[in-house]
Amino acid sequence: MEPSKDLRVKRTYKLLSESLLELMKKMPFEKITITDICNNAMVHRTTFYTHFTDKYDLLKYSLSELEKPFDTGAVKEESFEGYKEFYMDAAQKTLCYIDSHIEIFKVFLKKNQEDSLVTMIQNALTEKLTQKLLKCQETGIKLPVPVPVLANIYAGGCLNVLIWWIEQDRPCSLDQLLEYLDILIQPLSIPDSPRQHSPAISS
Amino acid sequence: MEPSKDLRVKRTYKLLSESLLELMKKMPFEKITITDICNNAMVHRTTFYTHFTDKYDLLKYSLSELEKPFDTGAVKEESFEGYKEFYMDAAQKTLCYIDSHIEIFKVFLKKNQEDSLVTMIQNALTEKLTQKLLKCQETGIKLPVPVPVLANIYAGGCLNVLIWWIEQDRPCSLDQLLEYLDILIQPLSIPDSPRQHSPAISS
DNA sequence: AAGATATCCAACATTTTGTAGATTAACTTG
DNA sequence: CAAGTTAATCTACAAAATGTTGGATATCTT
């Protein structure tokens, strides 16, 4: 996974990695071939194979480089008593890091719209929630944050818990899980603004 | 996208789709070739090309079939006044549907651990949060739901908002976004159980 | 029953992948 | 800086996968 100290190797890793990124700005990863990457990097294809087994291997390396700061120093685990403070600190560090490397993250974080079921379901859920939230707003209910932010928090959180639940082979019953979601959702809204119940403005 | 009324076509779509799913249970999607899919489905490869351009095209179709219920009747948009009720209803419908097709969803929802930056970052964040939450629990703080549920809700929600923010080309400032997260996180915890601040039990 | 059309089949060109051995160039270490 | 090590390049090749063709056969729709 790690390039040796040899300058040539480091150079090769860098060239291939940057080449991949460059190509990913132009076309989807699936369409990119090893030949493409090598030509673009001006590195011989046999050299590619001395370091990586396939393009996924290279991708993995490139991503691990980007992800490093999240694993190491970027987030200090000590010196917070509550987990909310800890969470906000982590969120801030994450945000800042991504913000300062935005072009790269734009490429790598882009959802593939149509070839990920998670994304598709999340999109559907987010869309419906957005509609509903907009309607609620029309009826005079005040939301603490913009609609898309709320919709994405809800949908993302829910889906992620869901995936955890599936990957753990359903460690609790379905009803139990729903109860958890219900508990978490209750307080997560309109913390202090009054709920003005005015009649709906049609649809 | 949609197969015609011709029985032969419907059959081909079904065979190919099921074949892909079957193979995905055994090996990662990237390793599966069109030839594999056709052999397994006992459908000639030229037939494949009359309907799909590549394997991603087939995957897209298969996923869209699974996702259909989310777009259509599974979630009724009317007859809820608050969005919390709406959300819980949607969550319930989603959960039930997935639960009743669990084997399929297990295959399609599985995160690819190492070739998705979103997943990697999310894992890192979830891991850190879990550690922190466990420590908090040790100090006597009572959590309303199990640690992994809370960690996954937080991490998933945060990352999803982040992705939304990036894909929308940062529609608000970084500080603004952090403020939103802060607002949303404040109420999302320990709704009614008392916070017993006892001294930390080392680490 | 007749026309339309999907499937199958054989054959082929092209692209991509992955490997091997030999040569050249660059780096590390003492 | 010299010697030994190791990486990169190059040529060549084998195997696999992709994508397209034209025509024969079977099946469906109306």
Side-chain angles (χ1 to χ4, degrees):
Chain A
M1 210 65 193
E2 279 308 298
S4 71
K5 297 113 203 172
D6 196 314
L7 285 184
R8 291 168 296 181
V9 180
K10 286 208 254 184
R11 176 170 140 270
T12 301
Y13 270 69
K14 186 162 175 286
L15 284 173
L16 288 175
S17 209
E18 288 175 353
S19 171
L20 174 60
L21 174 63
E22 205 170 332
L23 291 173
M24 282 181 74
K25 286 182 183 169
K26 297 182 208 155
M27 53 175 116
F29 179 74
E30 311 88 48
K31 298 285 178 194
I32 301 170
T33 67
I34 295 176
T35 308
D36 287 337
I37 299 171
C38 292
N39 288 346
N40 187 247
M42 289 183 289
V43 166
H44 205 272
R45 202 160 53 82
T46 47
T47 306
F48 178 95
Y49 286 111
T50 60
H51 297 293
F52 304 99
T53 63
D54 51 36
K55 64 172 178 170
Y56 299 95
D57 202 30
L58 171 61
L59 177 64
K60 204 159 68 177
Y61 166 75
S62 301
L63 293 184
S64 74
E65 285 298 297
L66 275 179
E67 198 257 356
K68 258 182 191 167
F70 296 98
D71 265 351
T72 59
V75 177
K76 290 261 164 49
E77 317 192 13
E78 318 301 334
S79 73
F80 294 104
E81 34 173 288
Y83 65 88
K84 277 192 278 181
E85 295 80 5
F86 173 81
Y87 174 77
M88 281 314 292
D89 183 69
Q92 202 237 338
K93 295 260 172 58
T94 302
L95 269 168
C96 286
Y97 175 63
I98 289 179
D99 189 59
S100 60
H101 298 76
I102 193 72
E103 324 80 32
I104 305 175
F105 279 95
K106 253 189 194 171
V107 173
F108 284 115
L109 287 186
K110 181 149 281 175
K111 319 191 211 184
N112 313 2
Q113 290 288 24
E114 284 158 333
D115 69 2
S116 156
L117 186 56
V118 187
T119 305
M120 288 171 81
I121 297 177
Q122 210 165 66
N123 283 348
L125 187 53
T126 306
E127 175 59 25
K128 283 192 203 308
L129 267 173
T130 302
Q131 296 303 325
K132 187 66 189 177
L133 285 167
L134 286 173
K135 273 189 198 165
C136 286
Q137 242 179 1
E138 279 175 12
T139 68
I141 296 176
K142 278 200 164 187
L143 302 175
V145 299
V147 167
V149 174
L150 199 50
N152 275 287
I153 276 268
Y154 273 111
C158 175
L159 256 291
N160 206 36
V161 168
L162 204 76
I163 290 166
W164 161 80
W165 183 68
I166 289 173
E167 294 202 320
Q168 297 297 315
D169 281 314
R170 293 179 284 183
C172 64
S173 75
L174 204 144
D175 289 336
Q176 181 76 114
L177 188 62
L178 277 168
E179 208 178 303
Y180 291 151
L181 283 179
D182 194 47
I183 292 172
L184 288 171
I185 241 51
Q186 287 308 332
L188 200 173
S189 63
I190 321 159
D192 38 31
S193 41
R195 205 192 257 232
Q196 302 147 320
H197 234 301
S198 51
I201 311 176
S202 81
S203 79
Chain B
M1 209 68 194
E2 279 307 298
S4 72
K5 296 115 204 171
D6 196 315
L7 285 184
R8 290 168 297 181
V9 180
K10 286 208 256 185
R11 176 170 139 270
T12 301
Y13 269 68
K14 186 162 176 283
L15 285 173
L16 289 176
S17 208
E18 287 176 352
S19 170
L20 175 60
L21 174 65
E22 206 170 333
L23 291 173
M24 283 181 74
K25 286 181 183 170
K26 297 181 208 156
M27 53 175 115
F29 179 74
E30 311 87 49
K31 298 286 179 194
I32 300 171
T33 68
I34 296 177
T35 308
D36 288 337
I37 300 171
C38 292
N39 287 346
N40 187 246
M42 288 183 289
V43 166
H44 205 271
R45 203 159 51 84
T46 46
T47 306
F48 178 96
Y49 285 113
T50 60
H51 297 293
F52 304 100
T53 63
D54 51 36
K55 63 172 178 170
Y56 299 95
D57 203 29
L58 171 60
L59 177 64
K60 204 158 68 177
Y61 167 74
S62 301
L63 293 184
S64 75
E65 285 298 297
L66 275 179
E67 199 255 359
K68 258 183 191 166
F70 296 99
D71 265 351
T72 58
V75 177
K76 289 261 164 51
E77 317 191 16
E78 319 301 331
S79 72
F80 293 105
E81 30 175 290
Y83 64 88
K84 279 192 278 181
E85 294 80 5
F86 172 81
Y87 173 77
M88 281 313 293
D89 183 70
Q92 201 238 335
K93 296 260 171 59
T94 302
L95 269 168
C96 286
Y97 176 62
I98 289 179
D99 188 59
S100 61
H101 297 74
I102 193 72
E103 322 81 32
I104 305 175
F105 279 94
K106 254 189 194 170
V107 172
F108 284 115
L109 287 186
K110 181 149 282 175
K111 318 192 210 181
N112 314 3
Q113 289 288 27
E114 284 157 334
D115 69 0
S116 159
L117 187 56
V118 186
T119 306
M120 287 170 82
I121 297 177
Q122 214 166 66
N123 284 348
L125 187 53
T126 305
E127 176 58 24
K128 283 192 202 309
L129 266 172
T130 302
Q131 296 303 326
K132 187 65 189 175
L133 285 168
L134 286 174
K135 273 188 199 165
C136 286
Q137 243 181 0
E138 278 174 12
T139 67
I141 297 177
K142 276 204 167 186
L143 302 176
V145 299
V147 166
V149 174
L150 199 50
N152 276 287
I153 275 268
Y154 273 112
C158 175
L159 256 291
N160 205 38
V161 167
L162 204 77
I163 290 167
W164 161 80
W165 183 68
I166 289 173
E167 293 203 320
Q168 297 297 314
D169 280 313
R170 292 178 284 183
C172 64
S173 76
L174 204 144
D175 289 337
Q176 180 75 167
L177 188 61
L178 277 168
E179 208 179 302
Y180 291 151
L181 283 180
D182 194 47
I183 293 173
L184 288 172
I185 241 52
Q186 286 308 332
L188 203 171
S189 62
I190 321 159
D192 38 30
S193 39
R195 206 192 261 230
Q196 303 146 318
H197 235 303
S198 52
I201 312 175
S202 83
S203 76

